[in-house]
Amino acid sequence: MKLQRGNYVYANYPTGKEVIEVESISKFFVNGIGISAIEPILLTEEFKIEFGKDKLVLVDKSGFVIFKNGYAYQFVFEDYPYIHTIQNLYQALTGEELEINLNNK
């Protein structure tokens, strides 16, 4: 899993899972938490996601479209994509960080 600062992932604590934003990354730790306790978040209907002024449309479990500055970026996956993958794709395409509000965060 390729992570960058600003990505959202699950941290598995003894008390349960929690969504965290990646602030620091090293070879063995994310935000000071052992890498084995970190897992990606699938973009499913479970998450209601807002992308600031941009709009993301989840077509089905294998595809979505991001609208940005009059352009439509369509992506197709074999299964649900991870949220951090979408964040990284968006940054690669636009040079900007994707503003995300995970409503159930």
Side-chain angles (χ1 to χ4, degrees):
M1 146 174 49
K2 171 97 168 104
L3 290 180
Q4 299 177 15
R5 286 188 181 111
N7 287 162
Y8 289 96
V9 293
Y10 282 125
N12 291 305
Y13 297 111
T15 55
K17 277 186 191 182
E18 183 179 319
V19 175
I20 63 168
E21 183 175 352
V22 174
E23 296 171 358
S24 64
I25 307 167
S26 69
K27 187 172 182 178
F28 301 108
F29 297 95
V30 172
N31 294 5
I33 302 164
I35 197 77
S36 62
I38 300 297
E39 68 180 85
I41 303 171
L42 284 174
L43 177 60
T44 64
E45 293 85 5
E46 171 187 352
F47 284 93
K48 294 171 179 56
I49 300 177
E50 299 170 7
F51 290 115
K53 299 176 192 170
D54 308 313
K55 183 176 181 182
L56 175 128
V57 178
L58 185 63
V59 177
D60 60 23
K61 74 176 188 174
S62 62
F64 66 94
V65 178
I66 294 176
F67 295 97
K68 174 72 178 170
N69 296 331
Y71 293 97
Y73 300 98
Q74 183 174 4
F75 300 94
V76 178
F77 292 91
E78 292 181 17
D79 204 350
Y80 286 111
Y82 295 118
I83 289 175
H84 76 274
T85 303
I86 294 168
Q87 289 178 283
N88 296 347
L89 280 170
Y90 185 89
Q91 186 175 28
L93 286 170
T94 67
E96 300 173 9
E97 291 206 19
L98 187 59
E99 296 177 29
I100 292 184
N101 175 22
L102 295 176
N103 292 328
N104 58 347
K105 179 181 169 188

